[in-house]
Amino acid sequence: MARPLWAALRALLVLTLVTGVIYPAVITGVAQAAFSGKANGSMVEADGREVGSELIGQTWNDADGDPDPRWFQPRPSHSGYDPGATGSGQLGASDPTLVETVAEARRQVATFNGVREDEVPPDAVTGSGSAVDPHISPEYAAIQTHRVAEANDLSADEVAGLVEDHIEGRDLGFLGNERVNVLALNLALRELAQG
């Protein structure tokens, strides 16, 4: 009986060492050497400090916690863009609470951006499945250009050109939709406004 137990214990120790120490150390080393930025969270720096991750959305609010008209706004997040609290709100498409919430959000977005309610795209009023999506649709960015241009004393054409420059294509040319990274767009906007 002792011999099989000793063999099982040795196998456990070897497998623990290989799968729990050696394999993770090798993979971490390769990731750090070959893909350091991505392995460390795809952090974005501006003025010598980290300002966010290109993979996680964030709010662009004023001191009172309201959406700041100077910045492009992201899509809603029920988690406040907290990556530790991600996930869906779990309301069905016909749920009266969701329908009412989306209708109110559509009114607010339309008023804030000075557009008609039927011009507000779906991603402006609905959160993503992860609740931390850093991207918006080019359509949502487009309805914000006039407000952002006016708040930053820029021309609408300059801001629209900035949006156009930041549209990311579909993955592999056919997967997903075109999108705009809000953090990258707002950092470029800040440069343009300061320049």
Side-chain angles (χ1 to χ4, degrees):
M1 184 72 163
R3 188 174 179 162
L5 286 175
W6 176 240
L9 181 60
R10 282 190 318 231
L12 175 65
L13 292 173
V14 168
L15 288 172
T16 299
L17 182 65
V18 170
T19 61
V21 177
I22 295 172
Y23 177 76
V26 168
I27 295 302
T28 300
V30 168
Q32 288 296 326
F35 313 103
S36 180
K38 291 185 185 300
N40 292 316
S42 300
M43 299 307 291
V44 176
E45 287 190 13
D47 299 329
R49 65 182 183 90
E50 290 181 351
V51 294
S53 169
E54 66 184 37
L55 303 175
I56 298 174
Q58 59 189 357
T59 58
W60 293 87
N61 294 340
D62 61 19
D64 297 327
D66 298 320
D68 192 329
R70 297 173 301 158
W71 304 110
F72 284 92
Q73 296 297 312
R75 63 190 302 173
S77 169
H78 72 275
S79 73
Y81 302 99
D82 176 5
T86 63
S88 169
Q90 301 299 324
L91 295 176
S94 63
D95 185 288
T97 303
L98 179 64
V99 172
E100 184 179 312
T101 301
V102 167
E104 178 57 30
R106 186 175 307 281
R107 282 189 289 279
Q108 289 176 356
V109 169
T111 301
F112 185 61
N113 291 293
V115 298
R116 295 186 326 266
E117 285 186 34
D118 64 349
E119 294 180 84
V120 176
D123 65 307
V125 295
T126 56
S128 66
S130 69
V132 295
D133 191 351
H135 298 97
I136 58 175
S137 67
E139 294 78 19
Y140 186 24
I143 70 164
Q144 298 184 65
T145 55
H146 290 286
R147 169 185 50 80
V148 169
E150 185 177 313
N152 287 287
D153 294 322
L154 298 168
S155 75
D157 289 340
E158 285 178 301
V159 176
L162 201 61
V163 169
E164 191 65 33
D165 292 342
H166 283 82
I167 294 175
E168 301 172 12
R170 297 168 179 257
D171 294 330
L172 303 176
F174 67 95
L175 294 174
N177 296 314
E178 290 184 332
R179 60 204 177 276
V180 178
N181 186 289
V182 178
L183 176 59
L185 179 59
N186 280 337
L187 289 176
L189 172 65
R190 186 179 72 168
E191 266 185 50
L192 181 64
Q194 291 174 348

